[in-house]
Amino acid sequence: MRAADVIYYTFHVQELRSIVQWKIWHHPVHERDPEKESVSLRVCFELLDQTSRSFSAVIQELHPELLVPIALFYLILRGLDTIEDDMTLPIEKKVALLRDFHTINEKEGWSFTGSGPDEKDRELLVQFHYVTEEYRKIKPVYREFINDITRKMGAGMADYCNKAAEGNAGVETIEEYDEYCYYVAGLVGNGLTQLFVESGLANAALKDRPQLQKSMGLFLQKTNVIRDVREDWDDKRRFWPTEIWSKYVDNFEDLFKPANQEEALNCSSEMVLNSLNHADECLFYLAGLKEQSVFNFAAIPQAMAIATLALVFRNPDIFKKNVKMTKGVACQTMLDSTQNLSKVCEVFRKFVRQIHKKNTPKDPNFLKISIACGKVEQFMESIFPSQNPQALVRQEAPETEEQKREREEAKWDIIYMLMIVMGTLFVLSVIMIGIAWLVGARFDLAFSELKDGNWRSLGKDNARKMAAKYDRGEL
């Protein structure tokens, strides 16, 4: 842990407690057994770890029926994404690869070494023959679903690359923005839903609700687009639609100028509003998942998305750097979103209220954002009413001994954590002072000067005078 982290968590003990709880108390619903896997499948999971540690951890806790299909699904789409992002590939070659990538899954021994040397996930394509080898082993119906989504996504990416090559890399209308987000994330929601339902781990009715599937992907992608605005702009990419940002500035780059901070914040508010409109449908979708590991897999990203949305809302830092939530907040959010839908609703309620609290009447989107927040809360209230006979009885009933004990345990957990942190800082301080003393530090001189009232920095001249004052001629 870095020194800055030690200082931060000294004053945010609750977040430190969340990290410790996640590390100690989180137990996977299912655990994969590498000993029973083929060499090629183990390589696939190694590639999964390399491409995304966060997604890899959640995928590897999935039900055995879906573990391998979804892991391969992720790697195939990541391979597709790697080709789209590679700016060293000639446009003709890139477009051809994107349009034909769905056929590559069936090709034995296929790999690609033409990616640029600095491409982050280049190794995935170099060793892609391991992915295709395992892909051919899964159930035909799963292959059909994965192949269909890969074909549609590749075609959408190819169209976008052609558009960018013609000098029109930006997104113009909100409709185009929705279409782009659908191709890169909404289609993933479609594919996963088909896998969930086919495996019997989700309600079959979800297949008949394409809008819910679409919202799951769009909510995630739109939140990422808002958060990554600075990083994308530095890479000469623009995903915020002209239809939105042109209301606030004349040129997109004006959003990053300090003089336009208020206009930039109002623009980002409308982007958040656009994303927030999908939140209630995401919760509706989660209600259709029947198996715990599948629920966790779908709920964690959505909970992290609403937390990120609250973080970026009216946050000027998004125009300066890539903003991320702290590890403590992330761990607490994951803890709360891996239990049941009621808990996930509480997570959404907490962060929606943070957005509502940060909303300001100076923002032209103030009323619409307030309505959007109210819409989410109203939906949660419709499935989990806060006022019901049982709740009222619990409110009126006195605190039980068990509740008192749990409250006391929580209080002492925080106290113990604080004591550990302070104790660690004390021990480190003693060690550092001891080392300084051993190598000859003259603390007696420092104390003497402080006693004389010299609290400020000595400077070179004063340092020479001090050295002469304490000089020992015999040495």
Side-chain angles (χ1 to χ4, degrees):
M1 186 180 285
R2 298 174 303 172
D5 293 334
V6 172
I7 295 171
Y8 177 84
Y9 289 116
T10 300
F11 296 98
H12 298 83
V13 182
Q14 185 61 46
E15 289 190 29
L16 180 61
R17 181 173 183 250
S18 298
I19 296 172
V20 173
Q21 283 184 319
W22 177 258
K23 296 288 186 184
I24 295 176
W25 301 115
H26 174 70
H27 299 291
V29 183
H30 306 284
E31 293 187 54
R32 59 177 278 253
D33 186 359
E35 297 298 323
K36 296 180 180 179
E37 297 171 351
S38 63
V39 174
S40 58
L41 186 55
R42 286 201 293 271
V43 172
C44 287
F45 280 110
E46 289 173 6
L47 291 170
L48 191 64
D49 283 334
Q50 292 170 18
T51 53
S52 175
R53 285 198 169 275
S54 55
F55 266 109
S56 177
V58 181
I59 289 172
Q60 292 186 58
E61 295 182 9
L62 276 168
H63 189 283
E65 175 66 19
L66 290 179
L67 171 62
V68 176
I70 289 181
L72 297 175
F73 188 25
Y74 179 86
L75 289 173
I76 289 168
L77 297 187
R78 193 61 180 248
L80 193 67
D81 189 57
T82 301
I83 290 172
E84 187 209 15
D85 287 343
D86 192 344
M87 304 309 292
T88 66
L89 292 176
I91 187 64
E92 297 81 6
K93 187 174 185 179
K94 178 186 289 191
V95 168
L97 280 168
L98 292 173
R99 293 200 188 281
D100 295 337
F101 204 80
H102 64 286
T103 65
I104 289 167
N105 297 332
E106 303 287 352
K107 292 181 180 178
E108 185 175 352
W110 188 89
S111 63
F112 184 71
T113 57
S115 296
D118 298 326
E119 192 59 39
K120 184 170 70 73
D121 294 323
R122 183 181 190 277
E123 191 61 26
L124 169 61
L125 293 174
V126 171
Q127 301 194 58
F128 205 76
H129 55 282
Y130 290 114
V131 178
T132 60
E133 181 180 339
E134 289 300 322
Y135 172 81
R136 292 191 298 275
K137 296 177 184 177
I138 62 176
K139 292 180 179 179
V141 65
Y142 292 161
R143 293 205 303 270
E144 182 183 338
F145 294 151
I146 294 172
N147 212 46
D148 180 55
I149 299 302
T150 306
R151 177 181 58 80
K152 291 177 180 176
M153 186 177 289
M157 287 179 170
D159 291 342
Y160 184 81
C161 288
N162 277 328
K163 185 180 175 183
E166 293 168 1
N168 190 14
V171 177
E172 296 301 317
T173 66
I174 294 175
E175 184 180 354
E176 285 182 16
Y177 178 49
D178 283 350
E179 183 181 40
Y180 168 77
C181 292
Y182 174 70
Y183 273 119
V184 299
L187 280 171
V188 180
N190 295 157
L192 288 173
T193 302
Q194 293 174 24
L195 292 171
F196 294 160
V197 173
E198 182 63 31
S199 64
L201 302 178
N203 193 317
L206 285 178
K207 288 187 72 173
D208 302 324
R209 303 297 293 268
Q211 183 57 35
L212 300 184
Q213 303 169 28
K214 183 178 178 181
S215 285
M216 287 286 284
L218 265 60
F219 186 58
L220 298 181
Q221 184 63 21
K222 288 182 176 183
T223 300
N224 290 339
V225 165
I226 300 168
R227 183 197 63 196
D228 298 338
V229 60
R230 180 74 216 195
E231 185 179 315
D232 287 334
W233 177 243
D234 290 340
D235 291 338
K236 296 181 171 52
R237 297 185 297 182
R238 173 177 64 78
F239 298 112
W240 287 27
T242 305
E243 187 178 339
I244 289 179
W245 64 258
S246 62
K247 298 177 187 178
Y248 305 93
V249 290
D250 295 327
N251 301 295
F252 187 68
E253 55 266 29
D254 294 341
L255 291 173
F256 304 94
K257 296 177 181 178
N260 298 325
Q261 179 171 297
E262 192 61 30
E263 289 80 3
L265 290 176
N266 292 339
C267 180
S268 69
S269 293
E270 186 167 348
M271 291 293 293
V272 169
L273 171 64
N274 183 276
S275 178
L276 193 60
N277 286 328
H278 299 287
D280 57 330
E281 291 186 333
C282 293
L283 293 171
F284 198 170
Y285 180 96
L286 292 175
L289 302 178
K290 299 189 291 186
E291 201 269 337
Q292 186 65 50
S293 70
V294 171
F295 178 84
N296 294 351
F297 173 77
I300 288 176
Q302 303 299 325
M304 298 293 275
I306 191 65
T308 301
L309 213 56
L311 177 65
V312 302
F313 181 63
R314 297 198 64 81
N315 184 347
D317 286 344
I318 66 171
F319 298 103
K320 304 171 187 175
K321 60 183 179 180
N322 189 269
V323 176
K324 292 185 178 181
M325 72 182 77
T326 64
K327 190 174 182 180
V329 172
C331 286
Q332 186 60 55
T333 303
M334 290 189 292
L335 279 168
D336 293 339
S337 57
T338 51
Q339 298 181 49
N340 52 54
L341 184 59
S342 176
K343 281 287 187 180
V344 174
C345 284
E346 288 180 16
V347 172
F348 269 68
R349 183 178 288 108
K350 177 175 75 172
F351 290 112
V352 163
R353 287 180 178 177
Q354 286 184 17
I355 292 173
H356 186 69
K357 186 177 180 180
K358 290 163 71 175
N359 198 16
T360 170
K362 296 179 181 179
D363 190 332
N365 303 293
F366 172 74
L367 185 58
K368 290 181 180 178
I369 290 171
S370 297
I371 292 172
C373 290
K375 179 185 171 188
V376 178
E377 292 234 26
Q378 185 179 30
F379 175 80
M380 292 186 289
E381 186 71 17
S382 69
I383 55 177
F384 296 109
S386 57
Q387 294 297 326
N388 57 65
Q390 291 81 6
L392 291 173
V393 170
R394 285 196 297 270
Q395 289 175 8
E396 294 172 2
E399 189 177 33
T400 64
E401 288 299 320
E402 185 178 355
Q403 288 173 329
K404 289 180 181 178
R405 181 176 56 79
E406 289 177 353
R407 182 164 51 79
E408 280 295 310
E409 285 181 359
K411 182 183 75 174
W412 281 104
D413 280 348
I414 294 175
I415 293 173
Y416 290 144
M417 198 71 68
L418 186 60
M419 290 171 63
I420 290 171
V421 171
M422 299 305 295
T424 302
L425 289 173
F426 176 76
V427 171
L428 288 174
S429 300
V430 170
I431 292 172
M432 291 172 68
I433 293 171
I435 292 173
W437 179 77
L438 286 172
V439 298
R442 294 291 305 274
F443 293 112
D444 56 327
L445 303 186
F447 291 142
S448 175
E449 290 301 311
L450 291 174
K451 188 176 180 181
D452 292 340
N454 296 328
W455 295 88
R456 300 173 65 183
S457 175
L458 287 174
K460 291 183 179 179
D461 293 338
N462 288 335
R464 291 192 185 98
K465 291 178 183 178
M466 182 177 173
K469 176 180 176 182
Y470 292 101
D471 182 43
R472 295 294 181 266
E474 64 274 14
L475 298 178

